[in-house]
């Protein structure tokens, strides 16, 4: 009996891409992965178009197609967790529905697992087709998080990967509500091989990731896997205190020499504003961590499924 692999595909308004990714997967497994029996798991993450109807049409003609229909949009991270925790197989793959993750890489990933690796991931070597500003901030994020965190994330690494069941069981054991899968995949360890490939643009539709959405996602990743922001504001507070102390001495000495204390009010106001700004900045960062703790203590489910089939 052939071993099985569950392909987890989060979908949010991907009605045009669902049939295309299905066709590519069928072709890949028919031509290059006959040793594996594929289960294709689409996770409908609160789509407002006819994504679910497209999935159901595929399921009607192929009993290897399954779906999880979430009760609302919980986000890609929750959709991935839903698929990984629901599907049962020997191997698991995670990939996007927009064909930016080429199914043609799956045979090479499977070969890596047969060579003794526990996980094989895709690493994008360029960002052709993306805005330069977006690429710049992406590179900056990887540099910062790898210096600030003990969990190293490979630059350009995608969520697209093939894993053994052991890896997936380790990932789903981490039931945190605020999930940053790139960090989680690295944190669990295991022997991993990254396969380079050039960027591929979306086939249809527009990405649901705005610049601000990506920025929030990056901040979530930094906060989830590093205490560097807390250390930074602590050092900043010490530097601010020392600087303000010497500034105060300067103002007092100047007033004693020149006998005109009212002339120092602009300096005092500047110092107050500087300290107040630093305090608000520090409180904002601390508040993000406290907010994380607050959400985790609620123990809300990561996702709610309306239908699993």
């Amino acid at each position: 009996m052939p071993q099985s692999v569950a392909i987890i595909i989060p979908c949010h308004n991907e009605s045009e891409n669902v049939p295309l990714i299905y066709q590519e997967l069928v072709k890949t497994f028919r031509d290059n992965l006959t040793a594996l029996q594929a289960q294709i798991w689409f996770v409908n993450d609160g789509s407002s178009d006819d994504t679910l109807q497209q999935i159901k049409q595929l399921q009607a003609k192929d009993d290897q197609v399954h779906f999880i229909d979430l009760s609302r949009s919980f986000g890609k991270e929750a959709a991935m967790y839903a698929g990984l925790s629901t599907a049962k197989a020997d191997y698991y793959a995670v990939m996007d529905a927009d064909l930016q993750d080429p199914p043609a890489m799956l045979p090479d990933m499977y070969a890596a697992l047969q060579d003794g690796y526990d996980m094989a991931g895709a690493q994008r070597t360029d960002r052709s087709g993306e805005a330069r500003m977006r690429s710049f901030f992406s590179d900056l994020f990887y540099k910062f998080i790898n210096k600030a965190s003990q969990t190293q994330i490979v630059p350009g690494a995608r969520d697209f990967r093939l894993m053994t069941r052991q890896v997936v069981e380790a990932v789903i054991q981490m039931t945190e509500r605020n999930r940053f899968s790139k960090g989680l995949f690295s944190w669990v360890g295991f022997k991993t091989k990254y396969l380079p490939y050039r960027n591929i643009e979306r086939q249809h539709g527009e990405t649901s990731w705005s610049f601000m959405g990506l920025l929030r996602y990056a901040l979530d990743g930094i906060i989830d896997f590093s205490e560097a922001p807390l250390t930074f504001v602590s050092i900043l507070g010490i530097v601010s205190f020392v600087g303000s102390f010497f500034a105060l001495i300067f103002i007092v000495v100047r007033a004693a020499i020149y006998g005109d204390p009212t002339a120092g009010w602009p300096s005092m106001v500047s110092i107050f504003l500087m300290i107040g700004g630093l305090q608000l900045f520090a409180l904002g960062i601390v508040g993000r961590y406290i907010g994380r703790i607050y959400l985790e203590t609620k123990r809300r489910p990561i996702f709610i499924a309306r239908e699993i089939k």
Side-chain angles (χ1 to χ4, degrees), residues 24-52:
E24 288 295 321
L25 285 169
V26 168
K27 181 177 182 297
T28 298
F29 279 88
R30 183 189 63 224
D31 297 343
N32 301 303
L33 284 172
T34 55
L36 292 176
Q37 183 178 6
Q39 305 171 18
I40 303 177
W41 283 85
F42 291 100
V43 185
N44 181 39
D45 183 33
S47 298
S48 58
D49 62 3
D50 63 343
T51 295
L52 183 60

Side-chain angles (χ1 to χ4, degrees), residues 278-306:
L278 289 175
Q279 289 174 335
L280 290 175
F281 176 64
L283 285 173
I285 292 179
V286 173
R288 295 281 292 184
Y289 281 92
I290 294 175
R292 284 280 194 280
I293 298 171
Y294 173 65
L295 292 175
E296 292 295 331
T297 56
K298 288 186 173 184
R299 306 298 296 173
R300 289 177 177 172
I302 298 174
F303 69 93
I304 299 174
R306 179 186 293 114

Side-chain angles (χ1 to χ4, degrees), residues 1-37:
M1 182 177 179
Q3 290 183 305
S4 59
V5 56
I7 313 295
I8 312 300
I9 308 175
C11 303
H12 180 73
N13 296 337
E14 299 284 1
S15 60
E16 293 180 294
N17 290 319
V18 163
L20 297 180
I21 189 69
Y22 169 78
Q23 293 170 6
E24 288 295 321
L25 285 169
V26 168
K27 181 177 182 297
T28 298
F29 279 88
R30 183 189 63 224
D31 297 343
N32 301 303
L33 284 172
T34 55
L36 292 176
Q37 183 178 6

Side-chain angles (χ1 to χ4, degrees), residues 150-172:
Q150 294 181 346
T151 301
Q152 297 298 293
I153 300 176
V154 175
R158 300 275 292 176
D159 290 324
F160 178 32
R161 61 195 64 222
L162 182 66
M163 302 164 282
T164 64
R165 184 175 181 83
Q166 186 181 17
V167 175
V168 172
E169 287 177 347
V171 171
I172 63 178

Side-chain angles (χ1 to χ4, degrees), residues 20-298:
L20 297 180
I21 189 69
Y22 169 78
Q23 293 170 6
E24 288 295 321
L25 285 169
V26 168
K27 181 177 182 297
T28 298
F29 279 88
R30 183 189 63 224
D31 297 343
N32 301 303
L33 284 172
T34 55
L36 292 176
Q37 183 178 6
Q39 305 171 18
I40 303 177
W41 283 85
F42 291 100
V43 185
N44 181 39
D45 183 33
S47 298
S48 58
D49 62 3
D50 63 343
T51 295
L52 183 60
Q53 287 69 31
Q54 292 290 335
I55 296 170
K56 288 184 175 181
Q57 289 177 14
L58 294 176
Q59 189 186 53
K61 65 179 183 180
D62 187 347
D63 59 5
Q64 295 304 313
V65 174
H66 307 272
F67 71 86
I68 303 171
D69 182 28
L70 301 185
S71 61
R72 64 170 176 84
S73 178
F74 286 86
K76 180 183 175 182
E77 297 290 336
M80 284 194 293
Y81 182 84
L84 292 174
S85 60
T86 303
K88 304 300 178 185
D90 298 302
Y91 300 100
Y92 294 77
V94 176
M95 62 193 311
D96 290 345
D98 56 14
L99 289 173
Q100 285 191 295
D101 299 332
M105 293 185 68
L106 286 171
D108 292 333
M109 291 181 175
Y110 179 65
L113 266 56
Q114 298 308 296
D115 288 339
Y117 288 93
D118 301 297
M119 179 164 46
Q123 180 183 9
R124 189 164 50 180
T125 57
D126 75 316
R127 290 182 170 270
S128 56
E130 285 192 0
R132 290 185 177 181
M133 186 63 68
R134 185 168 173 172
S135 299
F136 169 77
F137 279 106
S138 177
D139 293 338
L140 186 64
F141 162 73
Y142 282 112
K143 290 179 181 178
F144 179 83
I145 196 169
N146 284 330
K147 288 184 178 180
S149 172
Q150 294 181 346
T151 301
Q152 297 298 293
I153 300 176
V154 175
R158 300 275 292 176
D159 290 324
F160 178 32
R161 61 195 64 222
L162 182 66
M163 302 164 282
T164 64
R165 184 175 181 83
Q166 186 181 17
V167 175
V168 172
E169 287 177 347
V171 171
I172 63 178
Q173 282 179 17
M174 294 183 287
T175 56
E176 56 213 62
R177 274 62 188 162
N178 298 286
R179 304 184 69 81
F180 181 69
S181 289
K182 288 185 178 67
L184 295 177
F185 288 136
S186 296
W187 188 89
V188 296
F190 293 98
K191 192 176 179 182
T192 305
K193 181 178 182 179
Y194 283 96
L195 306 177
Y197 80 105
R198 296 184 64 82
N199 185 52
I200 300 174
E201 295 187 26
R202 287 178 62 91
Q203 292 293 309
H204 296 285
E206 296 182 359
T207 178
S208 57
W209 287 99
S210 64
F211 177 79
M212 289 304 299
L214 287 171
L215 181 60
R216 286 194 297 270
Y217 185 62
L219 289 175
D220 288 344
I222 293 171
I223 290 173
D224 286 347
F225 285 90
S226 173
E227 296 178 355
L230 292 175
T231 304
F232 172 72
V233 295
S234 299
I235 295 173
L236 195 61
I238 294 172
V239 172
S240 173
F241 172 78
V242 173
S244 300
F245 177 76
F246 283 110
L248 181 62
I249 293 175
F250 170 77
I251 292 171
V252 171
V253 171
R254 187 181 65 175
I257 295 175
Y258 295 101
D260 187 13
T262 58
W265 73 267
S267 301
M268 293 298 294
V269 170
S270 299
I271 293 173
F272 291 152
L273 290 175
M274 179 185 70
I275 295 176
L278 289 175
Q279 289 174 335
L280 290 175
F281 176 64
L283 285 173
I285 292 179
V286 173
R288 295 281 292 184
Y289 281 92
I290 294 175
R292 284 280 194 280
I293 298 171
Y294 173 65
L295 292 175
E296 292 295 331
T297 56
K298 288 186 173 184

